[in-house]
Amino acid sequence: VRLELSWAPTGRWLEADLYPGEDDISLFVRDVTERKLTQDRLIEAAETDSLTGEFNRRGFFTRLEAALTAQARGRAMALICADVNYFTEINDSFGHGVGDEVLKTVARRLKSCLRPRDILARTGGDEFMILLNGMRRPGDATTLARRIVGAMEERFELGDLSLRISLSIGLAIASLADRDAARLCRHADLALYETRTEAPGSFRVFTPAMEQESLRKRQLKRDLADALGRSELELAFQPIVRTADGTIAAAETLLRWNHPEQGRIPPAEFIPLAEESGLIAPIGAWVLRQACAAACRWPEAVGLSVNVSPRQIELADLPALVRDVLEATGLAPRRLHLEITETVLVSRNRHYLATLHRLRELGVRLVLDDFGTGYSSLAQLDAFRFDAMKIDQSFLRRIRAETDETPILNAIVGMATAIRMPITVEGVETQVQLNHVRRLGAACVQGFYFGQPVNEAGMQGLLARGLPASR
Ligand code: C2E
Ligand code: MG
Ligand code: MG
């Protein structure tokens, strides 16, 4: 028999081997303190995140399982998942050294919000998890989440950089009846997902409805994978109208999905799913091919706008695709306008910037879409000269009467005019709004005032006969 014992008075570890003889027992004792300490250190190292000194995923899950089993009656537990907003961009922009410092500071600030019995871990790149143990009331968890949001508000001073960093947080409360660690994590993760998409920088608490929604999305993703093959995708076109004379300068391609059971699903819902799953690459390629082929049947002077997701630039060789499609369809490069939303700091992401330059070399026009909503930065306009920009429809919404004003929109149009960048204002729904945009002096407008987006035949009709609104 082999025994291991700690000899408390000395703090040393002993290993004893016992051998039974004919009528005696032999006992051999060794001091194994050093080996034992090394083992402990190895286990500790295997459970520690070397960057922040907190637990890593493995260390965290061991403790989570143990805490769930030992959960006391009348005490609540909660799990928090958090990640750093725009961490990839921070890394890309300022380098991994700065990224590391950000993570360390986040860990320190998180720790300062916790009580000794709570457990903090960095469980992945920019992902943190916290186990709130032995709470009196489940409401304590939301109080803590609020405190964490507050703890990130102060700017991060890193060397000569001063950054504003925020976390997105998902929270799930463990019930006494449910001690399944994996399920608890999934719930916190779903809450985090909702925070990311709906309220980055804030927090959400898991509800069963989130699970329903996630199942629906997963199903939609699966259906979307078959949509191309089953011809459920379809293109619609919306005229881009010259403010001066009401003639059609170009048409924007808008993707439509006719789901066999759920009917039309709006692109705002399925494009993000396609981006998540990577399906945006084949779908985007299909859109480009179909749209260019259609535009070849339009008058030479009419341009074609196609929306491009930044994910397509990450996933595929977009310039190569555009070149192939232009060659195959014979569309003049000048007629193709690629609309790209400003979701990344273009000037800071070298691959993205290089891709834009390669696209420009092909002779196509590059249009900054939805200006004023995302990462609008004036420095960005300087770093890459887009050929035109489109102003998000949200600005026009407040124009109802002739006397209504839009100071921000005025300023944006003024700035664009100053740098001689043609502007399209989106979301014109009424004559009043059209008059307003005319006064501002934007080159083009787009909107339901000129009718809903139409199919290819409809577009040919509009091109042949002109827009009803300007007839
Ligand atoms: P977007 O590129 O900003 O397209 C304009 C959106 O505004 C379209 O919505 C259009 O129908 C809508 N719209 C146009 N005029 C008006 C108006 O007067 N009032 C209002 N309220 N809305 C108006 P849609 O078709 O639902 O597309 C939404 C977004 O989905 C697009 O925004 C674009 O970002 C994305 N999207 C659509 N098709 C594609 C595509 O083929 N590829 C990619 N990557 N994204 C696409
Ligand atoms: Mg667009
Ligand atoms: Mg837009």
Side-chain angles (χ1 to χ4, degrees), residues 228-241:
L228 259 183
R230 294 199 200 132
S231 312
E232 291 165 13
L233 297 182
E234 190 182 288
L235 298 187
F237 297 95
Q238 183 176 38
I240 298 176
V241 182

Side-chain angles (χ1 to χ4, degrees), residues 418-438:
I419 59 173
R420 294 197 185 76
M421 189 179 287
I423 267 197
T424 298
V425 177
E426 297 184 284
V428 173
E429 294 182 353
T430 64
Q431 179 70 49
V432 171
Q433 289 172 337
L434 180 60
N435 294 343
H436 185 80
V437 177
R438 276 215 176 102

Side-chain angles (χ1 to χ4, degrees), residues 24 44 52 76 86 89 96 104 159 181 227 244 278 338 363 377 381:
D24 58 358
E44 196 183 300
T52 59
Y86 297 115
E89 283 78 5
H96 292 262
K104 282 199 252 181
L338 297 178
S377 127
L381 287 180

Side-chain angles (χ1 to χ4, degrees), residues 296-325:
C296 286
R297 299 184 275 271
W298 302 344
E300 286 272 335
V302 178
L304 168 75
S305 257
V306 177
N307 290 290
V308 173
S309 150
R311 273 289 274 163
Q312 282 173 265
I313 293 177
E314 281 164 38
L315 291 169
D317 187 348
L318 189 61
L321 171 73
V322 171
R323 197 190 47 228
D324 286 354
V325 171

Side-chain angles (χ1 to χ4, degrees), residues 77-78 80 132 135 137-146 171-173 203:
M77 270 174 49
I80 284 182
L132 302 176
M135 294 180 303
R137 286 160 301 140
D140 294 353
T142 50
T143 310
L144 182 90
R146 230 168 261 128
L171 212 167
I173 297 187
F203 71 92

